[in-house]
Amino acid sequence: MLETEAPPKAPARGETRDGVRVITLTNPPVNALSFATAGAVLHEIETAETDDAVRAIVITGSNGFFSGGADINAFAAGPVPGGKTVRDLVAAIEKGAKTYVAAIDGPALGGGLELALACDYRLGSANAKVGLPEILLGLIPGAGGTQRLPRLLATKNPMNFGGVQMALQMMLEGKPKDAKPAKGMGILDELVEGDVVAHAVEFARAKAGTKNRISEMKIKIPPPMVALAHGMVPPEDKGGFAAHKLIDAMEAASDLDYKHGIAREFRIFKELVTSLPSQSAVHLFFAERELGKIPGLAQDTKPKTIEKAAVVGAGTMGTGIAMVFANAGIPVSVIDVNPEQVERGKKNVADTYAAQVKKGRLTEDKAKERVENVSFVGAYDAIADSDLVIEAVFESMAVKKEVFAALDKAVKKGAILASNTSTLDIDEIASATTRPEKVVGLHFFAPANIMQLLEVVRGSKTDVETLVTSMALAKKLKKKGVLSGNAFGFIGNRMLFDYVREATFLLEEGATPMQIDNAIKSFGFPMGPFAMSDLSGIDVFYKIAQEAPKVDYRQSEISHRLYELGRYGQKTGSGFFTYEPGKREPKRDEDVERIIAEESKRLGITRRTDITDEEIVNRCMFALVNQGAQLLGDGIALRPGDEDVVWLFGYGFPWYHGGPMWWADTIGVKNIYDQIVEWQKTLGKHWVPAPKLKEAAERGSFAPRPNTGAFN
Ligand code: 3H9
């Protein structure tokens, strides 16, 4: 009698080919091992195990995926009574009597690789990719990965504990390995050209009757290596919770036999799956995948192919953007009339790629190809046939309008004209052209070739094709494309202005730049607001302030005074802090503290000595959340998750807090609302609770909360 029954529409199928049963996962798009899929595969395994005509079993996936792992939706939804998981599959294979071969075409990730590791052999196509990325979800592998991968790699690479290190690094980084390195490491037994399943069937038939269980391999992990590993990952409360647990689980592979090792691994997995950092990471995983889903856009609009691009402005931003296109294999021309700027731009491109070659990140050939993909030109005629032009000139409406008028005349009809403005009105820029429907904001973050965020700003006349093309382009450029409405500062900077406003008001009330930056860093940001201002340039913020809409509450003069003193930040060696030549470490500056005290006096503010880190964090974060809520209400941001993605990839918000809006939910959005109502009375009229904040407070959260029950 079988334990499981085949569900009516099974997300797995089985067929016998001359004594070999081929079990194929058929759960599009990535063959995630949902309860239903695991149940169907288990049914197939049990059927095959009891069928005397079957001598060996091949497990494979469909649609170019082996499996994307356990169904991440299930972590939020919680357990289903009697629901099967990848753990049941791994256990069934472990106790099975037949020979198992995994035929891997495409990604085998997380539970997908764990399923393959439970098999006796693994064959991969050239497209195979194997990895245990659970750490990126604040988890550890929970279906034997921490026990099998180290055993396998230590056995295949015994010299100097090299295999143990490989396994540890692979699980701590969460980055998958391509087929070739995976074969080199010993994860794949064979690399197959052509039909990997057909080859696996032959292989399985030849190996039928043999067992090669990784669980029986022995491993020794030296204690100093464990101690070293703990020392290399972030502290538990700074995003390192799962990393430390992963090292603990892996240690069990050395200290305990397999049976006890997987029990420990699963105990840790269950603890992590309901932990806040993991729930935050899962939230961000799905928020990222929501980005492209834009309500109201016709599904049948096809993006235009961008075959040739151009960038106006050979400054750091312009050349950075050009390199993003070159990296994606799209030829790009950079136009600038200033020959010195062009020379600097060329040097920037050449130096950046040379540095990547030096660091071993790029081959000489690839670097050459990319350098050649970027050409520098001096006149608009040379970019007339571009499909897309991105303007990256000085942040001034007058200058931008001039550039757009010229582009409109010079560049072919139908081409998209984009602005890299970080704040300005896209509609006004578009008004300088005869094709406002083809004008869009593409706001890259500096350094453009490194930062992953791209705000796609929709003007009131931007047409659907331009939007769809821009969102598809973001994917092609390997950026997180977030759609924003057209408001001063869009999503990211609009929220930033309120955050910086509050930090600066705290200065006037009694805090110091160092105190504020340290408090924000202890929350988990890589740098505080004042080190960030110094990095971005106080002159940049000053110019933005000139174009900002006027507000009816007090405006801090501190950064204006620094600007007047020529203290622009890191580039001038001083700003809110001072910097030793060639160094980036901010140092306290008493002159700045004197200026701040003068400002407090001028404003009639009695400086307080009781400002705590908690007050600093709350005021800065609540400012972010309140503006985030305002932007939702104004229709500038589509979803709270989009704002979280913006702050994660554009501003260094700590992933383990899940983004400002998610974090608000975790600490209780009603608490934030009540506090803001209170601050409106005590701190001033700049604290106005946004209507969407009030709504969320009444409802209990911005977004539905995940189930926090145990995982079976
Ligand atoms: C795990 O395995 C735990 C075990 O150790 C233990 C268990 C006991 N589940 O990214 P894409 C969806 S933890 C559910 O745009 P790509 C995704 O949401 C898991 N759904 O495509 C999207 O849906 P929609 C460890 C998943 O080609 C669609 O698939 N595994 C899952 O650029 C397409 O996704 C991982 O962490 C999933 N596991 O990249 C792998 N994976 O269309 C996470 C994807 O409705 N996944 N979806 O928006 C990935 O890294 C990438 O999605 C992958 C495909 C490389 C697979």
Side-chain angles (χ1 to χ4, degrees), residues 338-533:
N338 178 346
E340 282 167 20
Q341 187 77 286
V342 168
E343 282 318 304
R344 273 198 297 271
K346 280 184 182 166
K347 187 168 169 351
N348 182 15
V349 172
D351 288 354
T352 304
Y353 287 125
Q356 289 182 10
V357 171
K358 209 167 162 198
K359 284 181 194 154
R361 292 194 190 142
L362 211 59
T363 61
E364 295 260 7
D365 285 354
K366 272 260 173 270
K368 189 165 172 278
E369 202 178 285
R370 291 184 187 184
V371 170
E372 284 169 0
N373 256 342
V374 185
S375 55
F376 286 80
V377 298
Y380 282 116
D381 298 355
I383 59 166
D385 62 345
S386 305
D387 302 303
L388 165 84
V389 184
I390 302 179
E391 160 280 306
V393 300
F394 190 62
E395 189 75 350
S396 142
M397 182 56 86
V399 177
K400 293 204 188 264
K401 280 171 91 168
E402 226 173 83
V403 169
F404 269 76
L407 286 175
D408 189 42
K409 284 203 187 84
V411 182
K412 73 179 178 193
K413 258 188 147 176
I416 296 175
L417 304 182
S419 173
N420 180 51
T421 176
S422 55
T423 52
L424 299 175
D425 184 349
I426 294 297
D427 287 340
E428 195 179 338
I429 294 174
S431 72
T433 73
T434 58
R435 58 175 109 179
E437 71 287 354
K438 292 287 161 217
V439 176
V440 69
L442 289 181
H443 178 210
F444 290 82
F445 285 66
N449 49 328
I450 296 186
M451 298 293 282
Q452 289 193 65
L453 181 62
L454 176 63
E455 281 181 317
V456 175
V457 188
R458 179 184 203 165
S460 61
K461 296 195 177 143
T462 310
D463 68 15
V464 172
E465 186 193 63
T466 303
L467 272 189
V468 170
T469 304
S470 302
M471 295 302 285
L473 178 70
K475 256 199 156 171
K476 169 121 194 168
L477 299 180
K478 297 207 163 54
K479 300 283 174 197
K480 314 289 174 192
V482 181
L483 185 69
S484 170
N486 182 27
F488 187 79
F490 317 127
I491 297 174
N493 281 344
R494 186 58 171 256
M495 289 167 77
L496 176 79
F497 297 147
D498 283 18
Y499 161 81
V500 171
R501 173 208 73 202
E502 214 45 37
T504 316
F505 282 6
L506 279 157
L507 288 183
E508 291 169 348
E509 290 167 34
T512 65
M514 195 60 93
Q515 184 190 359
I516 292 176
D517 272 23
N518 284 342
I520 295 297
K521 274 177 19 190
S522 71
F523 179 77
F525 276 86
M527 66 174 75
F530 299 113
M532 182 211 62
S533 296

Side-chain angles (χ1 to χ4, degrees), residues 74-79 270-271 273-276 279 662 705-711:
F75 302 155
K270 281 199 291 190
E271 183 188 351
V273 87
T274 53
S275 71
L276 257 180
Q279 291 184 350
W662 175 263
R705 306 297 305 154
N707 180 300
T708 48
F711 194 79

Side-chain angles (χ1 to χ4, degrees), residues 168 172 221 223-234 243-244 247 250:
L168 190 58
L172 283 175
I221 307 176
M225 192 182 268
V226 173
L228 196 70
H230 278 295
M232 283 170 68
V233 298
H244 288 283
I247 300 163
M250 195 168 134

Side-chain angles (χ1 to χ4, degrees), residues 29-30 32 65 68-73 75 86-87 109-111 114 133-134 137 141-143 269 285-286 289 293 711:
V30 303
F65 280 92
D71 184 350
I72 301 168
N73 291 290
F75 302 155
V86 60
R87 298 187 74 241
L109 303 177
E114 290 175 298
E134 285 87 344
L137 296 171
F269 178 86
F285 175 83
F286 286 118
R289 276 149 190 90
K293 296 174 188 152
F711 194 79

Side-chain angles (χ1 to χ4, degrees), residues 15 82 149 224 262 377 559 585 596 599 614:
E15 57 165 322
L149 189 68
I262 50 161
V377 298
S559 59
E585 194 202 338
I596 294 169
E599 281 303 303
E614 191 188 359

Side-chain angles (χ1 to χ4, degrees), residues 643-704:
E643 297 175 322
D644 290 336
V645 172
V646 164
W647 269 75
L648 178 78
F649 290 106
Y651 301 86
F653 196 95
W655 67 266
Y656 47 92
H657 290 314
M661 310 311 279
W662 175 263
W663 174 79
D665 283 353
T666 64
I667 69 156
V669 69
K670 178 153 186 336
N671 297 330
I672 299 180
Y673 173 76
D674 290 345
Q675 180 64 79
I676 290 180
V677 170
E678 183 60 26
W679 283 341
Q680 196 175 16
K681 293 181 211 142
T682 56
L683 292 177
K685 61 180 172 184
H686 56 283
W687 280 109
V688 182
K692 283 277 175 200
L693 182 72
K694 185 163 190 270
E695 255 177 48
E698 283 163 3
R699 202 175 43 239
S701 64
F702 282 108

